[in-house]
Amino acid sequence: MSRNIILVDPLPRTLDLIMDPSVRARLEALGEVIVSEDRQMPSEEVERYLPDTVLIFGQTDMPRERLDRAPRLKAIINVESNFLPNVDYQACVERGIWVITPASAFASPVAEASLAMALDLARGITAADREFREGTERYGLEGNSATFRFAGAPVGIIGFGDLGRELRELIRPFRNTVRVFDPWLPKEIVERLDCLPSTLDELLRESQVVFVFASVTSENEGFLGKKEFASMKPGAAFLLMSRAAVVDFPAMLEAAASGHIRVATDVFPEEPVKPDDPVRRVPGILLSAHRTGGTRDAFYALGSMAVADAELIMKGLPPRLCRRADPATASMMRSKPVSVS
C-alpha cells in the first residue's frame, strides 16, 4: 500500500515558526511528514520519496523531470512567499498540481507598518524625538514647519496586490484621494476599490505620499530611478515596502539626502545590511530592518493557511486561502529568496 508522503523543505522557515502545535497536528494527520529544516532537503532524499509524495511544503526544486517522478503529487505550497524560478509552473498546470503560497498572511501587518511609517514621515515623529533628546527641540508651529497632515493628502499606490489593497482599506478613514499604478490590473478592479487608475508619471507627480508594493519582475527592475524621484513633489514621502530591486537604490538615497523627498524603506539590496553600509548615514530616510511583515501572528497564519488549503486539496477540492501561481506571471518574477525569517 502506498504511503502519503509530505515533504517539508521550508528553509528559511521552520515548522515551529509557522505552525502552532494544533496546526502541526493537522498537517501530520494528512500523511507521513518528512522534514528538512536546517538545510535544503538533499536531492537524494527528495528523489527517494518522490514516488509517494502527495504534498510539498517549501521551496524544493521541481523541474519537469522531477515532476515526472512524482505521479501522486497534488500540491507544492511555497511557504517562503515568493514564486521562484525553480518550479516548472506550466507542467504543474498541465498535471493538475496546485502551486500556491499563503503570502497574503503578511498583507495586514505590512499595511499597518506602512501606515505608521507614512505618518512618521508626514508628521516628523521620530525626527522630533531625536531633536528632543539632543536638546534642539522646537515647539508648536515652529516644530511643524516641515510636516504635513496625512489626512486628506493625495496618496499613490504602486502595485495593487494583497499589500496594496490592504493598505487602501486601512487608510479609508483618512479620506485620501488614492491613485493606483499597476499594469497587471484592469481599471475596473482599481475603480471598484474607490481608487483612480493612473499612469506612473501622473501618480508620482500628483501624490504627496507614495507607497511601493510592486513585486520584482523581468520588466520592472530598477524602474523607479532618478527621473521618477525628480518628478515627485518637493517634500513628498516615498515608502519602499516590497522589494528593493524595483528602485534604483542609490538614486533613491540621493533623492532623500538632497531633501527633495523624504523616504522610508523596509527592504535593501543586500540583507542583512552591513554595519558600514552608507544607507545608515543618509539623512532624510526612515529605516526598518525588513520587519514590517514578520509578526508572530503573521507567521502562524502562513502555516494555518497552508495546512487548511492542503486539507482541501487532499479531499479533491480547490484551495481557498492561498494564491495560485500563474505560469505567465510566475516566470517573470525576479524577487530574491528571503534569507531571514
Side-chain angles (χ1 to χ4, degrees), residues 146-291:
T147 72
F148 63 86
R149 291 286 306 281
F150 181 83
V155 164
I157 300 177
I158 299 175
F160 207 47
D162 295 328
L163 302 181
R165 296 181 210 191
E166 190 76 23
L167 186 278
R168 197 281 166 269
E169 295 306 311
L170 194 60
I171 66 173
R172 282 190 183 276
F174 292 92
R175 304 179 307 281
N176 311 89
T177 298
V178 180
R179 290 178 173 81
V180 167
F181 172 72
D182 191 324
W184 287 12
L185 291 180
K187 67 182 182 64
E188 286 79 4
I189 290 178
V190 175
E191 292 170 341
R192 194 178 301 160
L193 293 173
D194 304 315
C195 300
L196 302 175
S198 300
T199 65
L200 179 61
D201 289 345
E202 180 186 19
L203 182 151
L204 293 171
R205 184 176 64 249
E206 299 296 333
S207 300
Q208 185 68 32
V209 183
V210 174
F211 296 90
V212 181
F213 298 113
S215 299
V216 187
T217 73
S218 57
E219 298 179 346
N220 73 357
E221 288 188 74
F223 80 106
L224 295 165
K226 186 173 183 177
K227 177 174 75 71
E228 287 72 28
F229 296 125
S231 72
M232 294 178 65
K233 294 180 178 182
F238 180 87
L239 295 100
L240 179 58
M241 308 306 296
S242 53
R243 296 295 173 187
V246 299
V247 304
D248 178 336
F249 214 81
M252 184 184 76
L253 299 185
E254 181 181 341
S258 73
H260 176 62
I261 60 173
R262 53 196 84 185
V263 170
T265 185
D266 185 51
V267 291
F268 303 87
E270 298 294 334
E271 297 176 5
V273 176
K274 294 179 180 178
D276 60 349
D277 193 297
V279 72
R280 299 180 185 273
R281 300 186 297 277
V282 175
I285 184 166
L286 179 63
L287 302 172
S288 172
H290 205 155
R291 57 183 290 275

Side-chain angles (χ1 to χ4, degrees), residues 50-67:
L50 276 181
D52 292 316
T53 296
V54 293
L55 298 170
I56 295 175
F57 281 71
Q59 291 65 253
T60 309
D61 296 337
M62 290 301 292
R64 185 176 290 263
E65 54 271 22
R66 261 196 181 167
L67 294 170

Side-chain angles (χ1 to χ4, degrees), residues 88-107:
D88 191 323
Y89 295 99
Q90 184 58 46
C92 288
V93 170
E94 293 167 2
R95 297 164 198 218
I97 299 168
W98 295 96
V99 184
I100 57 178
T101 180
S104 62
F106 295 124

Side-chain angles (χ1 to χ4, degrees), residues 5 39 49 69 84 94 118 185 207 209 227 250 256 266 292 306 322 325:
I5 296 294
R39 57 176 178 164
Y49 291 112
R69 297 191 289 277
L84 305 174
E94 293 167 2
L185 291 180
S207 300
V209 183
K227 177 174 75 71
D266 185 51
T292 59
C322 297

